[in-house]
Amino acid sequence: MAGKAFRFGVVAGATEGGAKWLRTARRAEELGYATLLCPDNLNLPTPTAALAAAAAVTTDLKVGSFVLASPLRTARAAAWESHSLSVVTGNRFELGLGTGLPTMRQQAEELGLPYGSGQERLDSISETIDHVRRLDGDAHTPVMIAAGGPKARRLAGAKADIVTLAGGVLTTREEMAGYVEEIRAAAGDRDIELALNIFVVGEQVPPWIRGFIGVDAETLIEHDSLTMLRGSFDDMAAELERRREELGVSYVSVNSAFIEEFAPLVERLSGK
């Protein structure tokens, strides 16, 4: 299949103070990354503040939520924050939405909000998009949905501009190809961008990433995990091109732990 031009993002949380966060934003722009993406949970500064600050110290870098968890806000509040970020960043904000991890149940309770059923959380995402479109008027905030299940894939295909393929870390290529077919069927004639997040660059899994994904490097390698990118520089570039050819993935994000290691690929492939 014909692919879109590559672009790349960095996923980072403002965990160690404002100065380091702003350095990360400036460095991401210097290295040619297209976006700086910020996760969302109560243990981190809110993406609203972090992304506004990052946009203020950069010129062209886009900023995005990765992703706003629907249990942590009402749909209207999420849309308000999102439209506000689009305005104050000069339309450099990309709204990423998701239903949140199971741990969000307790965080929603802390905020006095219902966690909701899976369908209710998806409905909230859909309503958020509708509110954003109304608030934007003639403007258009790009919306990304992290689509892990079949209902999320159908919603993403129908309403999102960008769809992140959010299967499990051991999801096979064949399974992922099936997910892409579902998304494209739901999208119809709509032009969508497909994205994938990479947790590991190389063959060493940092302990905190291993704790998050629940598997070690050997398991990722054994299962040919799409959340890992390894080998020589040429091998990694060829693998990204293969993923674009086979799956249509052209937007690739990487954890900030690998921002420097991944940068040569950004320089080589961005816009191509």
Side-chain angles (χ1 to χ4, degrees):
M1 64 178 70
K4 292 180 177 292
F6 280 114
R7 68 179 183 129
F8 300 94
V10 175
V11 181
T15 57
E16 297 184 26
K20 182 175 181 181
W21 169 249
L22 298 182
R23 285 196 300 271
T24 298
R26 294 188 185 99
R27 187 59 176 156
E29 184 167 61
E30 288 171 1
L31 294 173
Y33 288 90
T35 53
L36 177 64
L37 305 167
C38 186
D40 181 37
N41 70 69
L42 295 188
N43 300 315
L44 297 171
T46 173
T48 305
L51 295 173
V57 298
T58 55
T59 303
D60 299 312
L61 185 72
K62 293 183 181 297
V63 296
S65 52
F66 197 77
V67 292
L68 289 191
S70 61
L72 300 188
R73 296 164 189 81
T74 65
R76 181 63 178 84
W80 177 37
E81 291 188 20
S82 301
H83 176 68
S84 298
L85 272 170
S86 291
V87 171
V88 302
T89 63
N91 297 315
R92 284 194 283 146
F93 175 64
E94 295 183 357
L95 169 60
L97 295 168
T99 56
L101 299 172
T103 53
M104 294 294 175
R105 182 182 298 275
Q106 180 180 349
Q107 295 192 15
E109 289 176 357
E110 289 185 46
L111 293 170
L113 295 170
Y115 180 68
S117 67
Q119 186 60 56
E120 287 169 337
R121 298 195 303 278
L122 283 173
D123 289 345
S124 180
I125 289 175
S126 181
E127 292 166 13
T128 297
I129 297 171
D130 293 342
H131 284 305
V132 168
R133 296 291 175 246
R134 176 179 58 81
L135 292 170
D136 275 351
D138 293 334
H140 184 88
T141 299
V143 172
M144 182 272 283
I145 292 179
K151 291 182 179 180
R153 289 191 285 273
R154 288 194 292 271
L155 174 61
K159 286 197 167 186
D161 303 289
I162 308 157
V163 184
T164 290
L165 303 175
V169 294
L170 302 184
T171 299
T172 66
R173 290 175 190 265
E174 293 74 19
E175 289 171 328
M176 200 69 84
Y179 297 166
V180 171
E181 289 181 6
E182 291 179 53
I183 293 163
R184 292 201 182 280
D189 294 333
R190 297 180 64 251
D191 184 28
I192 57 173
E193 183 179 37
L194 294 176
L196 191 65
N197 184 46
I198 294 175
F199 284 108
V200 180
V201 177
E203 298 189 4
Q204 301 297 318
V205 182
W208 69 269
I209 292 181
R210 178 176 176 176
F212 182 74
I213 65 177
V215 294
D216 57 19
E218 291 74 18
T219 303
L220 293 175
I221 293 169
E222 178 185 352
H223 287 80
D224 188 27
S225 173
L226 293 173
T227 62
M228 172 182 265
L229 197 64
R230 63 193 182 95
S232 69
F233 174 68
D234 288 340
D235 290 339
M236 290 191 286
E239 172 61 22
L240 290 178
E241 290 172 339
R242 176 188 177 187
R243 295 179 187 188
R244 181 170 63 177
E245 175 66 24
E246 295 179 353
L247 300 173
V249 171
S250 58
Y251 181 19
V252 179
S253 56
V254 65
N255 190 279
S256 61
F258 303 103
I259 186 172
E260 300 292 340
E261 292 91 332
F262 197 77
L265 289 165
V266 175
E267 181 179 9
R268 176 168 172 172
L269 295 175
S270 288
K272 299 178 181 178

